[in-house]
Structures are given as C-alpha cells and as structure tokens.
Amino acid sequence: SDQIGVDPTNDFPIMSTPASPLPSTNASSDVMAIYQTLTPKPAELLAPHRRYLKEGEVFVYNSKAKKKKKRYFFLFNDVLLITKKEKKKKFWLKIYISLRSGLRVKDVADSTNDPPDVEFRVYAPKKTIICFANTRAEKEDWLRSVEECIDEIEKQPLKAILSPSTSTPPTEKRTSEPAPSHLPAPLPALPNETPAVVPGPALNGSKNPLYT
C-alpha cells in the first residue's frame, strides 16, 4: 500500500482489475502471451488494434518509502503497463495507463547521481511517476518509444481504432458504489478500456494501493 511520484492526492477512485475469464479476442500472439503472465489479467488489454512494442526493467521512486523500487514496464502502441516481477515470466499488474489520456514523458535533470543521467518522468493525468532507467541509453529509448506512440495516436482519429462492430461506443460501465464525493470523476475511457490510471489490488489481501 505504497505510493509513487510526487502527488499524494487521491485523484481517482481506487479500482481493482480482477482476474477474468479469457475473452474471445483477435489479439496478437505477443499481446496474448504477455496477458497470460499478468495478475490480475486486464481483459481490455486484448483489443484487436493493440500491438506490443517493448519491455524492460525501470526503477520507480516511492515517495512514502523514500527509495526507488524495481518495476517492469510493458509498452504497447497505446498502453503502458507498470508491473512488479514476481518470478520468471510472472508479473503483478500495478498500474494500467492509457497513452490516449494526455500522458506525456519528459527527460529531466537528475535528482540523484547514482547512476547519472538516467532519470525521466511520466506525467499521467494528475500523477507524476518518477522513473530511473538502468543506463542513459535505456532512458533515451523509453522516452523515444513512448513519444513515438503518442505522436502516432495524435495523428489517428478515434474512429480508426474502433472495429466496425464497436463504431458506436457502448454505455460506460459503472461500479456498484459511487466514488467518494471529494474525488473528481475519472476521465472518459475508450470502449472496453479502463480509466487512464488503474492500480492493481494489493498483495496478501492488504488495502488496495493507490499507486505502485
């Protein structure tokens, strides 16, 4: 139940993504293979238009513990997953971020010097995630890869990613309990997509974490 980034406020309702039966899908084999390694399994990851691009180890700063924590990122053409590696080819899904949410990434000056020139930021809606690659080359590759995805998304009209059967977005599903009144409503989601930032449930039955 720890937090990441520099913004401790609760800007989104706490939501979990429970494991679900394998849906009928036209997802690529790469996307399906990653889906099978995740706990919980986000069925919305299996959208037919989704393409796997890259993955790798990235450290994320934990503001509560005041230290870096090792995480494992998966990048798709319009989604970034932040996970915790549990064991070989098994990953606990911590945050599901839609790149269509106005997300941005930015190179920043180092706040530490160990190692130098590896820090960058992920600016999700109302959240700043402080990241550290293992090397400068890895940092530059993550920044370039995410920026290319965002550029491609911004060139593409919404209708281009909707299949013919889903050209009209379905009614948004709502949870049985409304979000607390002091929280702003989540950003609008694409059909069958989760909100922009969705923390996974906590391990060992503890309180659901807000971040990672």
Side-chain angles (χ1 to χ4, degrees), residues 35-77:
Y35 171 86
Q36 298 287 15
T37 69
L38 298 173
T39 301
K41 298 187 184 323
E44 58 272 27
L45 183 67
L46 300 178
H49 69 273
R50 188 147 295 128
R51 293 178 289 107
Y52 162 76
L53 298 178
K54 65 171 294 179
E55 63 187 81
E57 180 183 277
V58 177
F59 288 82
V60 172
Y61 181 71
N62 180 289
S63 60
K64 185 176 181 180
K66 300 187 185 314
K67 66 179 182 179
K68 303 173 188 176
K69 290 198 172 184
K70 187 184 296 185
R71 296 291 180 252
Y72 202 84
F73 286 21
F74 291 95
L75 178 65
F76 302 85
N77 60 309

Side-chain angles (χ1 to χ4, degrees), residues 66-198:
K66 300 187 185 314
K67 66 179 182 179
K68 303 173 188 176
K69 290 198 172 184
K70 187 184 296 185
R71 296 291 180 252
Y72 202 84
F73 286 21
F74 291 95
L75 178 65
F76 302 85
N77 60 309
D78 62 349
V79 166
L80 175 66
L81 302 183
I82 299 179
T83 74
K84 179 181 178 183
K85 193 170 186 178
E86 295 292 299
K87 52 186 176 180
K88 187 177 181 180
K89 295 187 177 181
K90 293 293 181 183
F91 301 89
W92 187 263
L93 178 59
K94 305 290 285 186
I95 308 179
Y96 181 112
I97 307 175
S98 170
L99 302 187
R100 301 179 186 279
S101 63
L103 176 139
R104 290 290 182 269
V105 292
K106 185 178 181 180
D107 193 359
V108 296
D110 289 331
S111 57
T112 67
N113 292 313
D114 183 27
D117 202 16
V118 296
E119 185 173 343
F120 64 100
R121 305 285 170 91
V122 175
Y123 295 101
K126 307 294 185 179
K127 298 289 175 284
T128 300
I129 304 172
I130 304 174
C131 305
F132 301 84
N134 286 302
T135 66
R136 177 178 179 178
E138 287 185 11
K139 176 188 75 170
E140 292 174 346
D141 189 49
W142 277 109
L143 289 169
R144 181 175 57 253
S145 297
V146 175
E147 287 171 349
E148 286 175 354
C149 290
I150 293 170
D151 288 345
E152 187 62 30
I153 288 168
E154 291 178 345
K155 295 175 184 176
Q156 189 178 35
L158 177 62
K159 65 182 181 181
I161 64 155
L162 298 177
S163 65
S165 62
T166 59
S167 57
T168 301
T171 303
E172 180 183 355
K173 294 182 179 180
R174 300 185 180 276
T175 56
S176 57
E177 293 186 7
S181 58
H182 68 284
L183 300 177
L187 295 176
L190 290 175
N192 301 319
E193 290 273 45
T194 54
V197 180
V198 179

